[in-house]
Amino acid sequence: MLSRVADAIYWMNRYVERAENVARFVDVNLHLALDFPEAGEQWEPLVATTGDNELFRKKYGEGHATRDNVLDFLTFDRESPNSIVSCLQLARENARSVREIISSEMWEQVNHAYLMVTEAARTKAALDTPHDFFTEVKQASHQFVGTTYLTMSHTEAWHFGRLGRLLERADKTSRILDVKYFLLLPQPSDVGTTLDALHWSALLRSASAFEMFRKKFHTITPNKVVEYLLLDRKFPRSVFYCLSKAERSLHAITGAQMGTWTNGAERELGRLNSELSYADTREILGRGLHEYIDNLQQRLNYVGQSVFETFFAMKEVDPDETRSRPPPPLSSTGLGDA
Amino acid sequence: MFEDPKTPRPSASLLAQRLGALDPVELRQRQIAAERALLMRGITFNVYGDAAGTEKIFPFDIIPRVIGASDWRTIERGLKQRVRALNLFIGDIYGARKIIKDGIVPESLVLSASSYLPACNGIRPPKDIFCHVVGTDLVRDRDGQFYVLEDNLRCPSGVSYVLENRQVMKRTFPQIFDQLRVRPVDLYPTKLLETLQHVGANGSPTVVVLTPGVYNSAYFEHSFLAQQMGVELVEGRDLVVRDDRVYMRTTRGFQRVDVIYRRIDDVFLDPKAFRPDSLLGVPGLVDVYRAGKVALANAPGNGVADDKVVYAYVPKMIEYYLGEKAILPNVPTYMCEDPKDLAHVVANIGDLVVKAANESGGYGMLVGPQASKAEQEDFKLKVQKNPRNYIAQPMLGLSRVPTIVDDAIEGRHVDLRPYVLYGDDIFVLPGGLTRVALRKGSCVVNSSQGGGSKDTWVLAEGDSLSPPPGPVATNGQSQSQGS
């Protein structure tokens, strides 16, 4: 497939996923604020989760992270590159540039999501009942993923989409964990209190992980939450789950055997995944969770950069390369998981 | 659609009866639903210079235009004949120029056409086909006769709306479709792909559609056609020329391209051959084309045959190349280049439609009867200053068809653009883009000038004045499952 097209499909998926994640953690924070009005609302960390603190401060000034400012910044502000409306607009622009490759159902899904958010931005009524609105955004993303799974052949283009989506999701889960962990790090006096439990539940809910976590561990402790969101092998938003499926898609694209590598992205992602698969929470917390996540994110950035250089970059013509290679068979390991 | 205000043409009587039975509120609701469907499906065109809301739906009217089978037979025969002659003309102009030597078409006229490209002299495209995709605009006069208004041989647009409008209409009026025998248009992408493959070099050529990109006003169409044919939609930056071949950049390296359905204007195709400042095209493309290593559809340079002055000679071309009388007449045309015609045009400018030879989209024209005195005077000067660049035609009594306007139905002027494909054979899509001037009294139907579109229903042979008796079996749709 065309490099430009692969690039657009990859980013279309990243942006839809990003919009979903923003909706997720804003929604959870709103709920938390309703439960604990006396604890003082914490809106600043939300901006930190998207990584746009600088732009936010430039726009609103220091110490102005109010509910309304942050909500607007993260939902309807077109100047904010990671607001829901910006993400969906970019997803749609990418979708529009590859309409001939994706299924028309996928295109309609993205178009619909964008029009829904644009309409909501116009009326602003959505912020009177924000939960309904954020639920709609999450559902739009889920529908997109489902539609993609069910209407597009699971060939190269599909794997590029899944790769983009899962790298994005791994990144966002790690950010949620990072930001919240520092925020929630219990004071000795808080341990075991209702407040503590509720905050940790909120963190899990940001990743829709609360119910599944309960089934596995019952009791909520910081260690277990970290373990679940970073290393769980079965939970679809855990970092390790996302990255191991991302690795499969990468190998499905190149045709290289799992456990081997043919480009920088495969090498780095493979190495990261083997580390994660043998990692231990106590060790991670011992080293410092923030440092661990910081390192993880740098390595994810490197994977993203390598994906770009390997597949999307507009390279000079190499005469040897003009003899087009036959596409490798898609390995069956890449199939079957959305 | 009507012979007189009360009597629908026979082919339209069933439709008229059906529409008459719908309550106006319901009709309006169906209209709104249809527009919403177009928006949701993202069937839009881009408006240049419009920032946030860069896309609009092409206004669509749900009352279709109906064309009977016998009228269509004439149109189809006439278009095939015309396209055959135009194709021979282009080959001749960039080849031996017999038609000029024989004194049928003046040399000065051809050489002064701005769409004539000297760079294309001597190039023989695969199978000698120059105009693979043609959209010829027709109008119907008061007398019921169809006339050719102009030919579009470069990158005619609109066929995607024909196909999408039909999809929407099937949802909007399923019952009427059941009873009228409307000929399907869905086979267009298949025919287009066959047409393009026909001029490809080897057994299964790699076909691509070349677009200027998402900001082009017809981007939806480019993407739609690529999708429907299942081929890559490429931009200039996706293509490279190397060793006399064209390649596209893929995630697995470079892949050869054999046929390019280009939707970029001639002069933007190749900065080396035409405009060095253009970033849209592919450097070296024309050399590869000249060497016969890639096919371009439509062939560069064929705009020489849709120049509005050259147009006036098409009936003569048909006689010259085919030895036949033109089946579809031209609209009578005054050529301002001719001193006698020029005098007539200047004297009667208030009754005429004057058009610049190389403008499109409804630009550069004067509709005499609707223009102010000042506009008329202004155009007189323009015409006298550069007579080669203008033609004039009498104002036709363009046929009108019923159209939903707010809460009422009123007659509005229409034209028709059928689509013709020149491959192994010449194929005319049974239908076409009916464009409608939504402003009352206006005859300008271009989308850039407030025009809209309608679905065009060409009825199957044996279309009857009344619905066929009993359950209708249409093309296997009523067959039982598993057959």
Side-chain angles (χ1 to χ4, degrees), chain A residues 1-4 6 92 96-97 99-100 107 111-112 156 253 314-315 317 321-322 324-325 327-328, chain B residues 39-42 55 214 219-220 223 227 233-235 237-238 242 247-252 254:
Chain A
M1 65 189 303
L2 290 175
S3 301
R4 178 178 53 80
R92 182 173 179 276
R96 211 157 79 81
S97 73
R99 267 175 86 161
E100 76 288 358
W107 156 250
N111 192 39
H112 175 82
E156 197 185 350
I253 290 164
M314 294 289 180
K315 282 172 290 196
V317 187
E321 268 195 277
T322 51
S324 83
R325 283 172 277 157
Chain B
L39 183 65
M40 293 312 279
R41 296 176 67 163
E55 295 160 63
V214 291
Y219 179 75
F220 164 70
S223 142
Q227 179 195 47
L233 177 69
V234 303
E235 297 178 12
R237 58 188 162 126
D238 297 321
R242 174 109 204 161
Y247 296 90
M248 55 183 169
R249 300 169 193 271
T250 78
T251 54
R252 301 183 198 292
F254 294 90

Side-chain angles (χ1 to χ4, degrees), chain B residues 143-201:
Chain B
D143 56 7
Q145 169 77 51
F146 281 95
Y147 291 88
V148 175
L149 190 61
E150 65 181 42
D151 301 291
N152 294 286
L153 301 171
R154 286 171 264 188
C155 303
S157 280
V159 73
S160 56
Y161 298 107
V162 174
L163 305 187
E164 286 288 2
N165 286 351
R166 178 64 57 86
Q167 292 298 323
V168 171
M169 287 299 281
K170 283 191 199 162
R171 295 185 192 177
T172 310
F173 292 121
Q175 311 80 359
I176 300 182
F177 265 92
D178 234 19
Q179 297 199 355
L180 275 175
R181 296 171 59 215
V182 181
R183 292 179 63 185
V185 290
D186 301 345
L187 62 180
Y188 183 84
T190 308
K191 290 285 182 186
L192 178 61
L193 183 60
E194 285 171 7
T195 302
L196 297 170
Q197 285 172 334
H198 179 67
V199 291

Side-chain angles (χ1 to χ4, degrees), chain B residues 90-394:
Chain B
I90 299 162
D92 194 14
I93 289 304
Y94 292 112
R97 299 199 177 158
K98 289 198 326 243
I99 199 166
I100 294 175
K101 288 173 188 148
D102 288 339
I104 312 290
V105 176
E107 181 170 38
S108 60
L109 179 71
V110 171
L111 301 188
S112 65
S114 64
S115 45
Y116 162 70
L117 293 181
C120 295
N121 278 321
I123 299 180
R124 305 310 302 178
K127 316 243 155 101
D128 274 344
I129 301 172
F130 290 84
C131 30
H132 310 82
V133 183
V134 180
T136 290
D137 291 341
L138 305 176
V139 290
R140 186 172 208 165
D141 196 10
R142 269 185 210 92
D143 56 7
Q145 169 77 51
F146 281 95
Y147 291 88
V148 175
L149 190 61
E150 65 181 42
D151 301 291
N152 294 286
L153 301 171
R154 286 171 264 188
C155 303
S157 280
V159 73
S160 56
Y161 298 107
V162 174
L163 305 187
E164 286 288 2
N165 286 351
R166 178 64 57 86
Q167 292 298 323
V168 171
M169 287 299 281
K170 283 191 199 162
R171 295 185 192 177
T172 310
F173 292 121
Q175 311 80 359
I176 300 182
F177 265 92
D178 234 19
Q179 297 199 355
L180 275 175
R181 296 171 59 215
V182 181
R183 292 179 63 185
V185 290
D186 301 345
L187 62 180
Y188 183 84
T190 308
K191 290 285 182 186
L192 178 61
L193 183 60
E194 285 171 7
T195 302
L196 297 170
Q197 285 172 334
H198 179 67
V199 291
N202 52 44
S204 55
T206 300
V207 175
V208 300
V209 176
L210 175 61
T211 176
V214 291
Y215 298 106
N216 185 266
S217 61
Y219 179 75
F220 164 70
E221 174 148 311
H222 307 161
S223 142
F224 176 84
L225 291 175
Q227 179 195 47
Q228 294 295 307
M229 291 192 286
V231 306
E232 299 285 358
L233 177 69
V234 303
E235 297 178 12
R237 58 188 162 126
D238 297 321
L239 298 180
V240 287
V241 166
R242 174 109 204 161
D243 301 335
D244 265 356
R245 294 279 186 189
V246 181
Y247 296 90
M248 55 183 169
R249 300 169 193 271
T250 78
T251 54
R252 301 183 198 292
F254 294 90
Q255 188 189 336
R256 203 176 91 195
V257 171
D258 304 301
V259 183
I260 300 176
Y261 177 33
R262 52 95 175 199
R263 297 294 300 256
I264 291 185
D265 287 341
D266 287 347
V267 293
F268 297 106
L269 275 176
D270 179 352
K272 273 170 79 181
F274 305 114
R275 287 180 61 152
D277 59 326
S278 167
L279 297 173
L280 296 176
V282 188
L285 180 62
V286 170
D287 288 340
V288 184
Y289 171 62
R290 186 185 296 278
K293 300 284 178 59
V294 72
L296 294 176
N298 287 329
N302 68 4
V304 69
D306 71 11
D307 178 280
K308 287 188 175 71
V309 182
V310 174
Y311 153 90
Y313 288 89
V314 176
K316 285 184 184 165
M317 286 174 205
I318 293 173
E319 283 176 34
Y320 179 77
Y321 292 115
L322 306 177
E324 298 168 9
K325 278 259 175 247
I327 298 166
L328 289 172
N330 271 11
V331 177
T333 301
Y334 300 98
M335 284 181 284
C336 300
E337 200 182 24
D338 178 314
K340 217 169 74 214
D341 281 11
L342 177 63
H344 178 86
V345 171
V346 170
N348 297 283
I349 203 156
D351 300 326
L352 297 170
V353 179
V354 189
K355 299 175 182 171
N358 284 297
E359 297 272 4
S360 61
Y363 294 100
M365 67 187 268
L366 176 89
V367 181
Q370 290 164 8
S372 69
K373 265 275 171 275
E375 285 166 332
Q376 293 180 6
E377 289 305 318
D378 178 47
F379 242 77
K380 271 187 204 170
L381 289 178
K382 281 190 191 166
V383 172
Q384 283 165 326
K385 213 168 145 197
N386 184 5
R388 161 63 181 86
N389 199 38
Y390 290 93
I391 59 158
Q393 295 168 336

Side-chain angles (χ1 to χ4, degrees), chain A residues 260-273:
Chain A
T260 67
W261 57 274
T262 56
N263 60 57
E266 279 174 348
R267 180 156 181 267
E268 185 59 40
L269 195 50
R271 191 153 64 174
L272 187 54
N273 279 336

Side-chain angles (χ1 to χ4, degrees), chain A residues 42 45 49 173-187 196 199-200 202-204 206 221-227 229-230 281-293:
Chain A
Q42 305 236 36
T49 316
T173 298
S174 77
R175 279 169 190 272
I176 290 173
L177 194 56
D178 189 28
V179 173
K180 293 279 187 167
Y181 181 81
F182 276 92
L183 195 76
L184 301 180
L185 207 55
Q187 306 294 315
D196 189 35
H199 272 149
W200 286 101
L203 193 156
L204 286 168
S206 295
T221 66
N223 282 17
K224 294 290 180 210
V225 174
V226 170
E227 180 178 331
L229 291 185
L230 266 189
T281 328
R282 274 168 306 181
E283 213 174 82
I284 293 172
L285 292 173
R287 257 174 66 191
L289 182 65
H290 177 69
E291 288 70 24
Y292 189 85
I293 288 177

